[in-house]
Amino acid sequence: MQSRKIKLRAGAVVLSALLVTNMTGFRPLTAGAAEPLLAVEAEDCTLLSGGEVATKVYNDEYPGYSGEGFVWATNSGGMKIEVDLEKGAMYELKTRCWTYLGEKGETRLQTVAVDGEVIGSYYIPNEKEWSDFSFGYFYLDEGKHTIQIGASGSWGYILYDTVTFDYAVMPELDIAPVPVDGKATDETKALLTYLTEQYGKQIISGQQEIYGGGNDGNMELEFEYLYEKTGKYPAVRGFDLMNYNPLYGWEDGTTERAIDWVSERGGIATASWHINVPIDFEGYTLGDAVDWQKCTYKNYQSSNSTFNTENILTEGTKERAYFDEAVRMLAEQLLLMQEANVPLIFRPLHEAQGNYGRYGDGTAWFWWGDRGPEVFKELWKLLYTKLTEEYGVHNCIWELNLYELDNSIEWYPGAEYVDMIAYDKYEGSPHKWGTDPATSVFLKLVNDSNDTKMVALSECDKIPAIDGMVNEGAWWLYFCPWYGEFLMSENHNTVADLKKTYNSDYVITLDELPEDLYQYSGSGTEATTTTTTTTTTSDTTTSTTSTDLTEKGLPGDVNVDKVVDISDVILLSRYVAEDITVGITVSGLAVADLNGDGNYTAADTTIILKIIAKLI
């Protein structure tokens, strides 16, 4: 299913902010209050070597272009514009173009360069017609800049009709604090409320601890290093529950440290789960101990494991029995935290996609992703259901790793199973990021959930530069470097950068978390007195104001079952994403346009979430 692009907040358009120079016969394409900063015919731009103005190619006609023709960019050909910007901001560059070689769906590589430096490479698909293409969002400082499309090194053969340059319209990042687990503990709800309030305004600092007794047993090494260099501790501490397993497991104190971090030090805990399987699973007897060197969390292609992930989904299989035992041991630890009133940002089955679809080898990194996205999604749902329904674990904020690839959304198990989305950023995977804020990835992941889920940087080596994150609107909920040299090597994070980041007004550290974090009810506005009408169906209760019951029906009751709950959010989200299997009645649509703009968008689903959370 391909998601419809989210409706984003419009930035102010100031026409005087842009001057266009070095162009002949400048002709704006649009007029009116909403016109972009720049919208011109491609043939009016300055052409690069290999670009020429044409009306046909080798006697082939391409009808439907505007103006007097189009730019035919061959090989490294293209065009450029020069702009003089009144202020530093995020901008978007778009074109109307035609990729005329190859079959439909095949792509041609183009690059965009700003002031002589390539800022991105883009694969433009062949749509067999004129189509709109965005080169994405990028930050430009105040002043003069030269922007080239089809810069040196491109593999071109593109026809360009128009070029548009404007302020980027950024996402709202206004997430309702409603957990997917309807029975979430009060402390979990409080933490989620706090996180959603910081999201889009500040970035929470974090750090992963080493696991398994590393650092010669000094589990505080990275944290004391940060304090020594910056005078601050991170607010989020990353744990790994991998050593609670049926094979070689031992008590390494992870659960106790997580409880201490939250209960005694007032921090926020997150955890992954590198759960292992026996390499020789066919020869393994359930319940036997196995040396850790004969176990793996890698895919079967590289480990030669005989463990078949897909078999977990079938009751009665050996794989299912092993998985059930692993989940039982996991639940024991999570329930210890729950009994101590400790919530956890839980990131199980992480990085499931791995290499899958990136390098053409069709393999994921870990066994839980090695049978593809459909199996993974069912595995995620099974884990969620067993923990919440069978074991009564309700202290988790469920965090899903996704990637930035076009097919990454195929690994999304559904809004009803995921509280937030995370990305793991390392040098060379897939880019040499440096301290770049990876804004393109952030916005891609925001869009994948229609701006209904927070997005975090759950692992990294280099921490993105705080100025870049703020300037470009890459508001990662939190960042969390991996342990050891990933944090403490100058090749990854310089001491100067750490000091700047940890002492920035935009970064939240441990000492800056509220004392009542786990009783947090929000910075809030004054409560208003209303008369409530309570409607109850099964065990779900929804309160609405007396004015909510309009002649159209109950606002937000998209499935028309007389209750506003998470099922209405899911139904409308699928409709917004153009899921053709979804059917909404006329009565449901009548109460779905909650902001009254005449459209059905993520803004409406956000309002439903706020109704459920009793924020409106």
Side-chain angles (χ1 to χ4, degrees):
M1 179 180 68
Q2 188 175 19
S3 297
R4 178 185 297 166
K5 295 299 182 184
I6 58 176
K7 183 179 180 183
L8 301 174
R9 179 175 58 213
V13 176
V14 184
L15 295 178
S16 62
L18 182 82
L19 299 176
V20 182
T21 60
N22 202 21
M23 303 175 66
T24 58
F26 167 62
R27 290 165 291 173
L29 297 173
T30 59
E35 70 178 78
L37 295 177
L38 168 68
V40 296
E41 298 292 342
E43 62 267 26
D44 291 337
C45 298
T46 300
L47 301 187
L48 304 175
S49 175
E52 62 180 87
V53 177
T55 56
K56 57 183 179 180
V57 176
Y58 301 130
N59 294 319
D60 291 330
E61 301 283 350
Y62 295 89
Y65 59 84
S66 60
E68 298 176 356
F70 49 80
V71 171
W72 177 18
T74 63
N75 198 20
S76 62
M79 56 207 165
K80 71 176 181 180
I81 58 175
E82 294 186 0
V83 297
D84 191 353
L85 304 176
E86 187 177 77
K87 63 180 181 179
M90 289 291 286
Y91 295 91
E92 182 181 17
L93 181 68
K94 296 188 291 186
T95 182
R96 184 171 184 254
C97 59
W98 190 321
T99 302
Y100 65 94
L101 293 180
E103 300 299 320
K104 186 171 183 178
E106 292 185 15
T107 59
R108 307 297 288 186
L109 177 65
Q110 293 282 269
T111 60
V112 171
V114 175
D115 301 330
E117 179 181 353
V118 174
I119 63 169
S121 299
Y122 308 87
Y123 290 90
I124 303 179
N126 187 337
E127 302 289 358
K128 293 293 183 181
E129 61 184 359
W130 294 107
S131 59
D132 295 325
F133 183 83
S134 173
F135 292 103
Y137 296 175
F138 48 90
Y139 180 83
L140 291 180
D141 284 318
E142 171 189 352
K144 295 181 179 180
H145 300 279
T146 298
I147 303 171
Q148 295 175 288
I149 301 175
S152 177
S154 298
W155 184 47
Y157 303 101
I158 306 282
L159 310 181
Y160 289 109
D161 183 31
T162 62
V163 176
T164 304
F165 178 85
D166 202 359
Y167 291 109
V169 284
M170 302 296 285
E172 294 284 356
L173 306 181
D174 183 14
I175 310 298
V178 181
V180 293
D181 181 358
K183 297 180 180 180
T185 66
D186 289 343
E187 294 79 15
T188 306
K189 292 177 183 177
L191 176 58
L192 191 62
T193 297
Y194 176 76
L195 295 178
T196 56
E197 283 200 359
Q198 309 320 306
Y199 186 54
K201 304 178 185 69
Q202 289 183 290
I203 297 167
I204 305 173
S205 60
Q207 178 57 48
Q208 178 73 27
E209 69 163 32
I210 199 167
Y211 56 83
N215 292 340
D216 294 325
N218 182 5
M219 308 304 289
E220 304 303 316
L221 179 64
E222 287 81 5
F223 301 85
E224 294 306 323
Y225 176 85
L226 282 169
Y227 187 76
E228 175 190 342
K229 302 302 183 185
T230 71
K232 302 276 190 176
Y233 288 107
V236 174
R237 181 164 179 150
F239 299 89
D240 197 318
L241 296 166
M242 69 178 296
N243 287 319
Y244 302 108
N245 65 66
L247 303 174
Y248 58 85
W250 76 89
E251 175 57 72
D252 64 352
T254 298
T255 301
E256 182 181 351
R257 287 194 304 280
I259 292 173
D260 179 75
W261 182 257
V262 172
S263 299
E264 301 301 322
R265 303 188 66 177
I268 299 169
T270 182
S272 57
W273 187 43
H274 277 93
I275 190 65
N276 278 254
V277 296
I279 295 174
D280 180 19
F281 191 72
E282 288 182 354
Y284 168 68
T285 300
L286 292 171
D288 281 357
V290 178
D291 186 272
W292 68 271
Q293 297 182 69
K294 295 182 180 180
C295 304
T296 187
Y297 45 70
K298 295 182 180 180
N299 62 56
Y300 74 89
Q301 293 96 334
S302 62
S303 67
N304 294 315
S305 170
T306 55
F307 187 91
N308 188 334
T309 305
E310 188 171 6
N311 287 344
I312 294 176
L313 306 180
T314 302
E315 291 191 28
T317 63
K318 186 176 174 181
E319 285 89 349
R320 176 61 170 267
Y322 175 81
F323 183 74
D324 285 349
E325 177 61 13
V327 174
R328 183 193 67 79
M329 297 183 72
L330 169 66
E332 286 182 352
Q333 305 308 313
L334 296 177
L335 287 171
L336 287 172
M337 297 182 200
Q338 183 167 299
E339 290 166 6
N341 300 320
V342 170
L344 180 72
I345 300 174
F346 186 40
R347 187 171 59 101
L349 309 177
H350 68 291
E351 298 179 12
Q353 185 174 14
N355 286 336
Y356 194 99
R358 187 191 298 283
Y359 303 117
D361 60 2
T363 60
W365 289 327
F366 299 125
W367 64 258
W368 47 85
D370 65 10
R371 305 289 168 163
E374 296 308 315
V375 171
F376 167 74
K377 287 186 288 189
E378 293 308 311
L379 187 64
W380 178 279
K381 295 174 187 178
L382 177 63
L383 177 63
Y384 174 87
T385 301
K386 287 183 72 66
L387 286 178
T388 57
E389 296 182 9
E390 183 175 336
Y391 290 104
V393 172
H394 301 297
N395 62 327
C396 290
I397 295 173
W398 287 78
E399 183 178 44
L400 172 77
N401 262 125
L402 282 182
Y403 284 85
E404 81 292 350
L405 302 174
D406 288 342
N407 66 342
S408 293
I409 193 63
E410 295 174 11
W411 298 74
Y412 186 52
E416 66 268 42
Y417 297 99
V418 176
D419 285 302
M420 55 190 291
I421 294 171
Y423 184 73
D424 292 354
K425 179 187 76 68
Y426 288 95
E427 290 298 279
S429 179
H431 307 295
K432 289 289 186 181
W433 293 104
T435 55
D436 187 277
T439 308
S440 60
V441 176
F442 175 79
L443 294 175
K444 169 71 166 59
L445 297 178
V446 167
N447 190 61
D448 277 349
S449 74
N450 287 327
D451 196 15
T452 61
K453 306 292 182 182
M454 295 180 289
V455 176
L457 197 60
S458 50
E459 291 182 26
C460 63
D461 41 18
K462 289 178 183 286
I463 301 171
I466 185 61
D467 291 345
M469 289 189 281
V470 173
N471 286 340
E472 298 187 18
W475 291 104
W476 302 98
L477 174 65
Y478 68 87
F479 59 77
C480 192
W482 207 238
Y483 56 79
E485 68 172 8
F486 291 105
L487 169 72
M488 298 183 290
S489 168
E490 287 273 322
N491 292 329
H492 290 122
N493 293 288
T494 68
V495 170
D497 285 344
L498 288 175
K499 286 180 178 179
K500 181 175 182 180
T501 299
Y502 266 76
N503 288 281
S504 168
D505 290 339
Y506 288 103
V507 174
I508 297 172
T509 51
L510 182 63
D511 58 302
E512 295 169 322
L513 292 174
E515 292 184 4
D516 65 343
L517 176 58
Y518 296 104
Q519 294 81 45
Y520 191 79
S521 58
S523 57
T525 55
E526 292 187 12
T528 56
T529 303
T530 60
T531 303
T532 60
T533 302
T534 302
T535 304
T536 305
T537 300
S538 67
D539 63 350
T540 304
T541 302
T542 300
S543 296
T544 63
T545 66
S546 59
T547 59
D548 277 342
L549 295 173
T550 68
E551 59 182 20
K552 292 181 180 179
L554 182 64
D557 181 20
V558 183
N559 61 6
V560 199
D561 64 354
K562 298 184 180 180
V563 177
V564 179
D565 58 20
I566 196 67
S567 63
D568 298 297
V569 177
I570 295 166
L571 182 60
L572 184 56
S573 294
R574 292 175 63 189
Y575 180 79
V576 169
E578 298 179 331
D579 184 345
I580 61 175
T581 66
V582 169
I584 298 181
T585 65
V586 173
S587 298
L589 289 175
V591 294
D593 179 20
L594 293 166
N595 63 1
D597 66 353
N599 299 306
Y600 304 105
T601 70
D604 298 306
T605 60
T606 297
I607 294 173
I608 298 177
L609 287 169
K610 290 182 177 180
I611 292 174
I612 297 171
K614 300 178 183 179
L615 297 179
I616 56 176

